[in-house]
Amino acid sequence: MEKLGNFKLFTDTLSKQSKKTPVLFTSHGSPMDIPLSKSERPFWATLSKLGVELKENYDIKAAVVISAHWETKGTFINSAPLQKQIYDYYGFPKHFYDPIYNAHGAPEIAKEISKIIPEISETVDWGLDHGAWPMLMHLFPKADVPVFQMSLDFNATPQQHFYLGKQLKSLRNKGILIIGSGALIHNIPLAMKKMQLGDIRPYGWETEYDFWLKQQIDTRNFTNLINYKTSHKLGNLAAPTPDHFVPVLYSLGLVEKDEEIKYFYDGLASVPAFSERSFIIG
């Protein structure tokens, strides 16, 4: 509890806003979606509309993305003033690497977070990976919101990820948008097994597990989500590695009592063994 108190002292030096900034958990799609337009890709169109609404209704000072694609030993936060765009996917045609997203960081906010929460260290060695910039290109297409990433400690337990998210709560009163970016269902080997045969239809079990996940979120049964590996028979199948699942725990750790959770996208994923269910808190 001492850490939370110290963090509040820091955030009190930032201008307090009349409205609490919402929190997002969002899919970032697959690399195959990157060159698609909003008319070709409904999820991109949804993010574009959401970004307009966020800019109209909130004074967003900066955004922090907890991306599935930045795993480290320990937790790091990027304090670079300019955010390097990282094309961390391989073997695609040239035009998949053409999009440019020139984003500024928020080094003063990043530095202070690392001072207040001892588990977090600073770095300038990363940037925005494909768990961040493809989504941000549609959410904030002008790159006019400073943004930086926080990494996932691959040695941390789900409970530790959830608790670390809770420690960021004071940021919501200061215009900082926190975004967990991952996928509630993400099994690359199973997806590739079908896609190599030209089949992008879901297996079928995705619907059952997605419905169960929604029930846990709606009823605030976050313990079941923290224990996702054992709380449902499909947990290991849906998330054989933790990287894409645990970002949701950061977002859910930020939920206040009686706060609304609204799904801004719950359509079918573009590939099998995936989920694109995404929500906004607040």
Side-chain angles (χ1 to χ4, degrees):
M1 295 303 293
E2 183 181 354
K3 293 173 187 172
L4 289 170
N6 288 342
F7 190 75
K8 186 176 187 299
L9 289 176
F10 158 65
T11 55
D12 282 347
T13 67
L14 297 173
S15 176
K16 189 169 183 177
Q17 298 191 354
S18 59
K19 288 198 295 186
K20 190 187 296 288
T21 308
V23 176
L24 303 183
F25 172 74
T26 180
S27 167
H28 49 257
S30 88
M32 293 182 297
D33 301 324
I34 287 171
L36 301 180
S37 67
K38 291 192 290 288
S39 61
E40 296 170 305
R41 182 80 171 92
F43 181 64
W44 291 155
T46 300
L47 280 177
S48 179
K49 180 181 177 183
L50 176 63
V52 171
E53 293 171 355
L54 287 171
K55 296 290 287 293
E56 288 177 348
N57 293 297
Y58 300 93
D59 181 14
I60 299 174
K61 302 297 185 184
V64 182
V65 179
I66 298 101
S67 165
H69 292 281
W70 189 20
E71 289 189 283
T72 53
K73 184 178 180 180
T75 304
F76 289 81
I77 204 155
N78 191 287
S79 58
L82 294 175
Q83 292 291 304
K84 178 182 177 183
Q85 185 176 357
I86 301 171
Y87 301 89
D88 55 330
Y89 48 90
Y90 311 97
F92 288 84
K94 179 185 177 300
H95 67 282
F96 281 72
Y97 304 90
D98 289 341
I100 301 296
Y101 193 73
N102 291 319
H104 288 266
E108 293 309 312
I109 295 173
K111 286 175 184 290
E112 289 299 331
I113 292 173
S114 69
K115 290 176 184 176
I116 299 304
I117 305 179
E119 297 95 326
I120 299 178
S121 303
E122 280 180 57
T123 185
V124 295
D125 291 338
W126 199 246
L128 300 178
D129 54 47
H130 85 272
W133 66 260
M135 168 266 297
L136 291 166
M137 275 191 2
H138 299 281
L139 191 67
F140 301 126
K142 295 180 181 179
D144 53 355
V145 173
V147 61
F148 55 96
Q149 285 189 203
M150 190 166 85
S151 75
L152 297 173
D153 179 358
F154 56 70
N155 289 322
T157 66
Q159 181 67 55
Q160 288 169 326
H161 289 299
F162 182 77
Y163 178 69
L164 191 53
K166 290 175 75 72
Q167 292 185 74
L168 301 175
K169 280 188 176 183
S170 294
L171 289 178
R172 298 186 59 194
N173 296 317
K174 311 296 178 176
I176 310 303
L177 178 69
I178 301 170
I179 306 172
S181 176
L184 292 170
I185 300 172
H186 184 270
N187 189 318
I188 290 285
L190 285 184
M192 293 302 296
K193 183 177 179 180
K194 275 202 167 197
M195 292 165 60
Q196 287 169 350
L197 300 174
D199 185 357
I200 60 170
R201 294 172 299 172
Y203 283 92
W205 56 263
E206 299 97 330
T207 301
E208 176 187 347
Y209 191 57
D210 178 75
F211 178 74
W212 180 83
L213 289 166
K214 182 179 183 298
Q215 282 185 314
Q216 309 318 301
I217 294 169
D218 290 346
T219 59
R220 308 298 198 270
N221 195 342
F222 300 155
T223 299
N224 270 351
L225 296 172
I226 291 169
N227 298 319
Y228 71 98
K229 286 288 188 182
T230 57
S231 54
H232 193 282
K233 64 183 180 181
L234 292 171
N236 278 304
L237 184 67
T241 59
D243 44 22
H244 278 73
F245 189 88
V246 294
V248 77
L249 301 180
Y250 286 81
S251 298
L252 294 176
L254 290 155
V255 175
E256 299 285 4
K257 186 178 179 181
D258 300 325
E259 205 167 25
E260 187 175 10
I261 301 177
K262 296 180 286 188
Y263 302 96
F264 63 84
Y265 195 82
D266 59 2
L268 288 176
S270 59
V271 294
F274 271 67
S275 167
E276 289 180 349
R277 180 175 292 281
S278 303
F279 56 80
I280 182 169
I281 299 165

